[in-house]
């Protein structure tokens, strides 16, 4: 069973991901990560070039990524369009709150 948790964090210059806050009750074990970030000039291409250079597995096709994401969302309880829209709205709200916090 796959569980989805939203959290914010940072990718350091060496490409390591660190969360802003620990996730209570999570054991240390491998996880799959979906990274959402604001893109700026050139960052996206540079990001994917680095992913390609360091990734140990071949990149997934768009169809494989779509099926994997669909399965993960369904297993996590996001089994309807409405629930997925609610998840996206929650993420957008968190991003807006983070931006407001950085501007003050």
């Amino acid at each position: 069973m796959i569980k989805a948790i939203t959290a914010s964090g940072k990718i350091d210059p060496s490409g390591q991901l660190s969360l802003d806050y620990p996730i209570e009750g999570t054991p240390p074990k491998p996880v799959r990560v979906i990274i959402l970030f604001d893109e700026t000039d050139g960052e996206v291409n540079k990001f994917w070039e680095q992913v390609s250079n360091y990734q140990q597995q071949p990149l997934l096709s768009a169809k494989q990524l779509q099926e994997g994401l669909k399965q993960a969302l369904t297993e996590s309880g996001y089994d309807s369009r409405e629930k997925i829209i609610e998840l996206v709205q929650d993420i957008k709200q968190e991003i807006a709150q983070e931006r407001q916090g950085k501007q003050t």
Side-chain angles (χ1 to χ4, degrees):
M1 177 178 204
I2 296 177
K3 182 176 181 178
I5 298 173
T6 59
S8 60
K10 294 173 186 65
I11 299 175
D12 69 20
S14 66
Q16 296 294 311
L17 174 67
S18 63
L19 299 178
D20 291 337
Y21 302 97
I23 300 171
E24 295 291 326
T26 55
K29 64 180 188 176
V31 297
R32 289 188 281 170
V33 179
I34 297 173
I35 301 172
L36 306 172
F37 59 93
D38 292 327
E39 60 181 273
T40 58
D41 296 335
E43 282 185 352
V44 173
N45 289 336
K46 185 177 179 182
F47 170 78
W48 286 113
E49 286 173 15
Q50 290 176 349
V51 167
S52 295
N53 290 336
Y54 294 109
Q55 191 172 20
Q56 296 176 5
Q57 301 176 15
L59 291 175
L60 297 174
S61 70
K63 183 158 182 67
Q64 290 171 317
L65 180 60
Q66 179 183 4
E67 289 300 318
L69 181 57
K70 181 180 177 182
Q71 180 182 351
L73 288 169
T74 300
E75 290 175 1
S76 300
Y78 297 99
D79 53 359
S80 71
R81 182 175 177 4
E82 292 77 20
K83 288 180 182 179
I84 293 171
I85 289 171
E86 185 178 321
L87 173 64
V88 170
Q89 289 172 340
D90 289 345
I91 292 169
K92 286 181 176 180
Q93 187 175 26
E94 286 179 24
I95 291 170
Q97 289 171 348
E98 287 175 12
R99 286 182 180 162
Q100 285 179 341
K102 289 179 182 177
Q103 291 176 355
T104 57

